[in-house]
Amino acid sequence: MSFLTLENRVALVTGASRGIGRAIALELAKRGAAVIINYNSSAQSAAEVVAQIEAEGGKAAAFQADVSDFEQAGKLVKFAIDTFGKLDILVNNAGITRDGLIMMMKEDDWDAVLNTNLKSTFNCAKAAVRHMMRKRYGRIINIASVAGQMGNPGQTNYSASKAGQIGFTKALAREVASRNVTVNAIAPGFVDTEILDALPKETLEAALKLVPLGRMGTPEEIAHAVAFLADERSAYITGQTLGVDGGMAMM
Ligand code: NAP
């Protein structure tokens, strides 16, 4: 059996310069998709992801866009369609944290997290959905978080943005199902990337005690779940949130 399960597919991964997004882009490319690598500030890292995909015989291109901005997200989706002729798979992965107890949280911390994590999901999906519906094919995969299911103290903004993505996933799944476009979310638990650098060591150690599998996940484990949902054969799965969290939240 061929491993090129995404051959002739075109994917766009937001925030693919580092961390989980980078692993997703590499995995989708390994399975045969041409991939647009979106980044905001890490141009060098994005260029390295493109180079790695090309070195392995795949197709990729990088595009700078702040996906929290409606217009920039629209230009990003247009770039994907213009570059590779279509867009089959959209992975809304870009995300940030600005943690703090609500007493200390500034309005800007709330706005930045909601705009980057949730509004970006609306921005990119809105730009992509008409094209996908016309083509009668699409896979939209939103990278949410276990924080959106369970809530985390110090993360009212982040947990709200991730719960918002899950609600958005269900509503959009119902809107576009008749056109063979599926919309799903993945809720990672703690995954070893730079986003966790902001967490105090003790908080992370305490959190890991809540993980039945007793360890952090890897970006590659999230990427594998994305590739599964992006597969043509996952056609009967929509509106779901797949936990990839070591068993932390058994919904
Ligand atoms: P990360 O290592 O900090 O990487 C974040 C990525 O998002 C970077 O590529 C960054 O690009 C991009 N990004 C940030 N703001 C952006 C914007 N406005 N426009 C475009 N790109 C932007 O984080 P990660 O751990 O890989 O997280 C990826 C996703 O998984 C996030 O949605 C996060 O909430 C979710 N998640 C992570 C964990 C975890 O434990 N790591 C757990 C659950 C969910 P630049 O560097 O170019 O700015």
Side-chain angles (χ1 to χ4, degrees):
M1 198 193 119
S2 168
F3 284 104
L4 295 177
T5 49
L6 299 177
E7 206 169 19
N8 300 320
R9 296 289 176 206
V10 177
L12 162 58
V13 184
T14 69
S17 49
R18 299 183 287 114
I20 293 172
R22 175 180 182 277
I24 293 169
L26 294 175
E27 183 64 36
L28 298 183
K30 210 179 284 171
R31 297 189 191 213
V35 188
I36 300 295
I37 311 296
N38 160 248
Y39 66 98
N40 187 24
S41 53
S42 307
Q44 174 68 27
S45 308
E48 285 166 16
V49 180
V50 172
Q52 189 173 338
I53 290 172
E54 288 177 344
E56 289 167 11
K59 282 194 224 158
F63 191 83
Q64 192 281 330
D66 173 353
V67 288
S68 68
D69 181 275
F70 186 75
E71 259 179 50
Q72 292 186 41
K75 284 186 184 152
L76 168 64
V77 169
K78 184 173 183 312
F79 174 80
I81 296 168
D82 291 348
T83 303
F84 291 123
K86 60 175 182 163
L87 180 61
D88 303 298
I89 302 160
L90 167 65
V91 184
N92 286 308
N93 164 80
I96 58 167
T97 53
R98 291 264 195 103
D99 296 352
L101 299 174
I102 194 157
M103 302 285 271
M104 319 294 269
M105 189 174 286
K106 302 206 168 56
E107 185 185 359
D108 183 55
D109 297 330
W110 175 271
D111 289 344
V113 168
L114 268 288
N115 288 338
T116 306
N117 300 1
L118 181 57
K119 185 164 182 246
S120 64
T121 302
F122 163 77
N123 290 343
C124 294
K126 182 169 166 68
V129 93
R130 189 188 300 271
H131 171 83
M132 288 180 173
M133 287 173 81
R134 211 180 284 136
K135 291 262 178 196
R136 299 281 196 276
Y137 189 87
R139 297 275 180 272
I140 298 177
I141 300 158
N142 300 319
I143 307 301
S145 168
V146 71
Q149 298 172 308
M150 297 174 72
N152 261 349
Q155 291 196 320
T156 50
N157 52 358
Y158 185 76
S159 301
S161 73
K162 295 296 172 179
Q165 277 184 307
I166 291 171
F168 177 91
T169 297
K170 294 176 188 175
L172 185 60
R174 291 185 191 277
E175 283 188 28
V176 298
S178 66
R179 297 294 189 277
N180 201 29
V181 177
T182 66
V183 189
N184 291 289
I186 287 177
F190 291 97
V191 180
D192 194 8
T193 71
E194 288 168 27
I195 210 170
L196 296 185
D197 291 353
L199 277 187
K201 200 166 157 266
E202 314 76 64
T203 310
L204 189 57
E205 276 167 9
L208 284 178
K209 293 205 172 85
L210 302 174
V211 183
L213 285 174
R215 64 169 176 87
M216 279 199 266
T218 65
E220 290 71 26
E221 286 170 324
I222 308 304
H224 174 69
V226 171
F228 163 71
L229 290 172
D231 196 297
E232 202 174 320
R233 292 165 295 178
S234 295
Y236 205 51
I237 304 173
T238 199
Q240 303 302 309
T241 300
L242 175 59
V244 187
D245 62 3
M248 237 180 131
M250 298 192 187
M251 308 303 288

